[in-house]
Amino acid sequence: MARKTANATTAVTGRRRHAAAAAAEGKVTLEMVAAAAGVSPSTVSRILNGTAVVSDDKRAAVDEAVARLGFVPNPVARGLAGGRTLSIGVVTQAIDSPFYGGALRGIEEELGRVGYSPLFVSGHWNAAHEARCIDTLRSRRVDGLIVLDGRLGDAALSAVAQSLPVVVTGRALKAPALYALHFDNFEGGRLATHHLLSLGHRRIAFITGDPRHADSKERQRGYRAALEAAGLAFDPALVVPGNYTEDSGRMAVERLLDGRQAFTAIFAANDQMAFGAALALHRRRLHVPGDVSLVGFDDLQTAVYSIPPLSTVHHPVYGLGQLAASAMLQLLAGETPTAELPAPRFIVRESTRSTL
Amino acid sequence: MARKTANATTAVTGRRRHAAAAAAEGKVTLEMVAAAAGVSPSTVSRILNGTAVVSDDKRAAVDEAVARLGFVPNPVARGLAGGRTLSIGVVTQAIDSPFYGGALRGIEEELGRVGYSPLFVSGHWNAAHEARCIDTLRSRRVDGLIVLDGRLGDAALSAVAQSLPVVVTGRALKAPALYALHFDNFEGGRLATHHLLSLGHRRIAFITGDPRHADSKERQRGYRAALEAAGLAFDPALVVPGNYTEDSGRMAVERLLDGRQAFTAIFAANDQMAFGAALALHRRRLHVPGDVSLVGFDDLQTAVYSIPPLSTVHHPVYGLGQLAASAMLQLLAGETPTAELPAPRFIVRESTRSTL
DNA sequence: CTGAAAGCGCTTACAG
DNA sequence: CTGAAAGCGCTTACAG
């Protein structure tokens, strides 16, 4: 039926449509280009893929035919025949994550530049679900896999990399055909804490992230390292658990306040928890930064417009997306990626104040 | 080469891997299932697709073989042969849009339920770029197209629908094989304004959205209608232009303040502008809602955690995504979708106060 | 109800 | 350097 419909459409409007429109609907095939250029389909394919040396005149004839007919190779057929689909599977935890959004955009743009398309799936912070997503992606014959902060174990991921190039973020992992892009969360945590210390704060509460996250532990280590470097004792009573959601940030502050802990500043392990913390403080009539200084981590787009604008550690998610995509492209080209993420920077805005 | 590698892998590890893993890598083909079940590939295909009546015993044999081998049909081959790829193109304006994120999630979940995958692309608020995205999507043989608030003209979209089922949001459009899902922005605008009026506000400023957006104009009409229903004259001096970004909201308020307009409340045509407005007010030492009441539109996830939590019109984006996806599925099944979006609701939080 | 065969649009050994 | 041919894994008229 699909075939019949297609023919009918062509019969009715075929002559009047120009090449570009026809190509968009995939009517122009490589075979037609070959016929128009007077060469075999094999030759057209080889020219298109740069797969072999071809005489100049044939190349010229083919180039001309491609342009005139507006030929666009069909990625589906390409995928079946050659095993390359020009698509890259991207597993993120939630397609609407405020944190990863920028990374997805970076991936989309970098990949699009060379004709690749991302296939986004959401793992929902669940290893089993993530494994299923990866299966789906493989069945769709993606050429590679980018895993943003996946929940799958290192071993499972390395196994996947045996048959598919993989780029991962959020973990340090070495394996063939796998490239890990790691952000220095320890340094970021240190920086945030150091900023508060430099302002004279001594009682700095820390709201932890999801303990299953490697990031979370590193940020906390940074917090502790900064404290100790300043000669302050680490006080467990100032550390309250969170799970990276706004609500957990709000509850953490309530717990802190209800526990009558003395503190003049709060370092939340991510911006979302900092927003929740800010709301809790607001509800208790505590002013940021007048009464309490507050810093976050990530530098979400919304951090600039929170009230007051949040001082935080900049996490270059957009750049991370771009780098992940270009590392993947390098892997696909048989090269060894070397790109590294830039070092963390602390962004001073309006949520902190000196104790003096 | 791809072929050789695959064989090598099979030779080395073939026997030890169980069916599920093998299927994930696409090693099990329909032909193998046919052989195992003692029927022809055609029959397997027909059973899988429910394309014809098949005797019970063959069906049982095939079902068993499919389960035992862990067969998963290859969508790529399916796409080439049958014209169905089980994938739906989704054009959004930005993959990381805080507004559309929820819709993307709704689409992903609803589609995933029946084995379809979304292919997300970003149109970047540009008709030409959007057209190119649609071409890419077609060359990838998507079975249908969901266009979230596209910038392409109605005529172009209807043309696309001649060869591909289309679901659009954000516009009222009738065409064959095209379904438009429309949110009542007029009513939403009316509701928001009415809330402010019911609190006693009489001088209500309005920050407009992007004028090229149909939504924007409807929300403004709602504002005006509510004013007039309350017997108040529409005052153009209270209407300031914005473009749906936070920054435009901030600047709008500055303009209002610098113009020395008297007002006690602000209705921003979306939440993002309301956040910008809140920041501008905060900078001018004006308190929300003490000095100025503020309402937004959309009910972004972040509205709950803004300070103070923003009263706003709930726009059911997640449900919109779900409905768009299921309408697409219905279109694909030859049915006529009838789903409608729920009516707007106003959510009272903490950013408004009575003038009494 | 079911099979053999052709075809979807490419790619890639295999032979010149 | 270039073609003819087989094949990727399915689907679907076409014949029983």
Side-chain angles (χ1 to χ4, degrees):
Chain A
M1 198 210 75
R3 226 166 283 174
K4 212 193 305 168
T5 308
N7 291 342
T9 309
T10 308
V12 175
T13 62
R15 295 298 142 77
R16 284 176 299 174
R17 296 217 314 283
H18 42 40
E25 295 183 26
K27 304 296 180 212
V28 181
T29 68
L30 179 142
E31 202 177 350
M32 295 164 67
V33 171
V39 301
S40 75
S42 324
T43 299
V44 177
S45 171
R46 286 192 273 252
I47 290 179
L48 259 32
N49 295 295
T51 280
V53 207
V54 171
S55 70
D56 284 350
D57 52 335
K58 302 224 183 225
R59 178 184 302 277
V62 168
D63 285 350
E64 188 274 333
V66 165
R68 183 159 48 82
L69 299 178
F71 172 66
V72 177
N74 179 335
V76 176
R78 223 171 196 172
L80 227 207
R84 291 178 61 211
T85 53
L86 298 187
S87 63
I88 302 293
V90 179
V91 2
T92 179
Q93 295 310 317
I95 186 77
D96 61 339
S97 150
F99 176 61
Y100 280 110
L104 303 187
R105 193 161 46 84
I107 291 173
E108 186 186 23
E109 282 173 16
E110 199 66 22
L111 249 30
R113 211 182 294 288
V114 293
Y116 272 78
S117 299
L119 234 58
F120 298 116
V121 300
S122 305
H124 298 300
W125 297 277
N126 176 293
H129 191 257
E130 199 172 303
R132 252 174 288 134
C133 285
I134 293 180
D135 283 355
T136 303
L137 255 12
R138 302 184 77 135
S139 82
R140 290 193 177 269
R141 299 294 187 280
V142 294
D143 296 339
L145 207 57
I146 296 177
V147 181
L148 300 174
D149 253 321
R151 284 295 184 275
L152 222 53
D154 284 359
L157 224 40
S158 306
V160 171
Q162 291 187 340
S163 52
L164 203 59
V166 174
V167 171
V168 298
T169 70
R171 68 178 87 192
L173 178 58
K174 288 253 177 271
L178 182 150
Y179 188 67
L181 222 35
H182 194 60
F183 185 64
D184 194 344
N185 288 288
F186 170 78
E187 173 64 7
R190 209 191 56 72
L191 240 38
T193 312
H194 179 261
H195 170 75
L196 258 10
L197 289 166
S198 72
L199 254 27
H201 295 279
R202 289 297 172 265
R203 297 284 297 167
I204 303 173
F206 179 71
I207 308 179
T208 77
D210 186 326
R212 291 166 304 178
H213 240 74
D215 307 11
S216 171
K217 281 175 282 189
E218 290 178 39
R219 293 175 189 185
Q220 182 166 353
R221 276 205 308 119
Y223 159 75
R224 191 162 175 165
L227 249 35
E228 290 169 355
L232 292 178
F234 169 77
D235 180 356
L238 285 176
V239 175
V240 279
N243 65 8
Y244 278 154
T245 63
E246 286 89 349
D247 214 48
S248 73
R250 181 185 59 70
M251 292 189 300
V253 166
E254 285 173 2
R255 196 164 328 163
L256 229 30
L257 258 19
D258 292 341
R260 307 207 169 280
Q261 285 301 326
F263 63 93
T264 63
I266 299 174
F267 169 22
N270 78 351
D271 286 356
Q272 284 172 270
M273 294 195 296
F275 299 147
L279 181 58
L281 293 168
H282 177 256
R283 290 250 161 85
R284 298 283 188 115
R285 302 270 182 277
L286 288 169
H287 193 253
V288 174
D291 300 311
V292 178
S293 282
L294 177 66
V295 306
F297 199 119
D298 284 344
D299 196 16
L300 297 188
Q301 305 225 303
T302 46
V304 191
Y305 284 97
S306 61
I307 292 179
L310 185 70
S311 298
T312 186
V313 177
H314 182 68
H315 191 153
V317 273
Y318 176 76
L320 176 139
Q322 286 188 122
L323 286 181
S326 59
M328 174 52 69
L329 261 13
Q330 288 182 284
L331 242 28
L332 255 15
E335 301 163 19
T336 305
T338 54
E340 300 271 327
L341 281 175
R345 287 181 300 128
F346 188 78
I347 310 287
V348 179
R349 285 202 271 255
E350 304 166 33
S351 62
T352 60
R353 180 170 297 177
S354 160
T355 55
L356 305 178
Chain B
M1 198 210 73
R3 226 165 284 173
K4 211 193 307 170
T5 307
N7 291 342
T9 308
T10 308
V12 175
T13 61
R15 294 299 141 77
R16 284 177 299 176
R17 294 219 312 285
H18 43 41
E25 295 183 27
K27 304 295 181 214
V28 181
T29 68
L30 178 143
E31 202 177 351
M32 295 164 68
V33 172
V39 300
S40 75
S42 324
T43 299
V44 177
S45 171
R46 285 192 275 252
I47 290 178
L48 258 32
N49 296 294
T51 278
V53 208
V54 171
S55 70
D56 284 350
D57 52 334
K58 301 222 185 227
R59 177 184 304 275
V62 169
D63 285 350
E64 188 275 333
V66 165
R68 182 160 48 82
L69 300 178
F71 172 66
V72 178
N74 179 335
V76 176
R78 225 171 195 172
L80 228 208
R84 291 177 63 210
T85 53
L86 298 187
S87 65
I88 301 294
V90 179
V91 2
T92 180
Q93 295 310 316
I95 187 77
D96 61 339
S97 150
F99 176 61
Y100 280 110
L104 303 187
R105 193 161 45 84
I107 291 172
E108 186 185 24
E109 283 174 16
E110 199 66 22
L111 249 31
R113 212 182 294 287
V114 293
Y116 272 78
S117 298
L119 234 58
F120 297 115
V121 300
S122 304
H124 298 300
W125 298 277
N126 177 291
H129 191 257
E130 200 172 303
R132 252 174 288 134
C133 286
I134 293 179
D135 283 355
T136 302
L137 255 13
R138 303 185 77 139
S139 83
R140 289 193 178 269
R141 299 295 186 279
V142 295
D143 296 340
L145 206 58
I146 296 178
V147 181
L148 301 174
D149 253 321
R151 284 295 183 276
L152 221 52
D154 285 358
L157 224 41
S158 306
V160 171
Q162 291 187 341
S163 52
L164 203 60
V166 175
V167 170
V168 299
T169 70
R171 69 177 87 190
L173 178 57
K174 287 253 178 271
L178 182 151
Y179 188 67
L181 224 36
H182 193 62
F183 185 64
D184 194 344
N185 288 289
F186 170 79
E187 174 64 7
R190 209 190 56 71
L191 241 39
T193 312
H194 178 262
H195 170 74
L196 258 10
L197 289 166
S198 72
L199 255 25
H201 294 279
R202 288 299 173 263
R203 298 284 298 168
I204 303 173
F206 179 72
I207 308 179
T208 77
D210 186 325
R212 291 165 304 177
H213 241 71
D215 308 13
S216 171
K217 282 175 282 190
E218 291 177 40
R219 293 174 189 186
Q220 183 166 352
R221 276 204 309 118
Y223 160 75
R224 192 161 174 165
L227 250 35
E228 289 169 355
L232 292 178
F234 170 77
D235 181 355
L238 286 175
V239 175
V240 280
N243 65 8
Y244 278 155
T245 63
E246 287 88 349
D247 214 47
S248 73
R250 183 185 58 72
M251 292 190 299
V253 166
E254 284 173 3
R255 196 164 329 162
L256 230 31
L257 258 20
D258 291 341
R260 309 208 169 278
Q261 285 300 326
F263 62 93
T264 62
I266 299 174
F267 169 22
N270 78 352
D271 286 356
Q272 284 172 269
M273 295 194 296
F275 299 147
L279 181 58
L281 293 168
H282 177 257
R283 289 249 161 86
R284 298 286 189 112
R285 302 268 182 280
L286 288 169
H287 193 254
V288 175
D291 300 311
V292 177
S293 283
L294 177 66
V295 305
F297 199 119
D298 283 345
D299 196 16
L300 297 188
Q301 305 226 304
T302 45
V304 190
Y305 284 96
S306 62
I307 293 180
L310 186 68
S311 298
T312 186
V313 177
H314 181 68
H315 192 152
V317 272
Y318 176 76
L320 176 138
Q322 287 189 121
L323 286 181
S326 57
M328 173 54 68
L329 259 14
Q330 288 183 283
L331 242 29
L332 254 17
E335 301 163 19
T336 304
T338 54
E340 302 270 327
L341 282 174
R345 288 180 301 128
F346 188 78
I347 311 287
V348 179
R349 286 202 269 255
E350 304 168 34
S351 62
T352 60
R353 180 171 296 176
S354 160
T355 56
L356 305 178

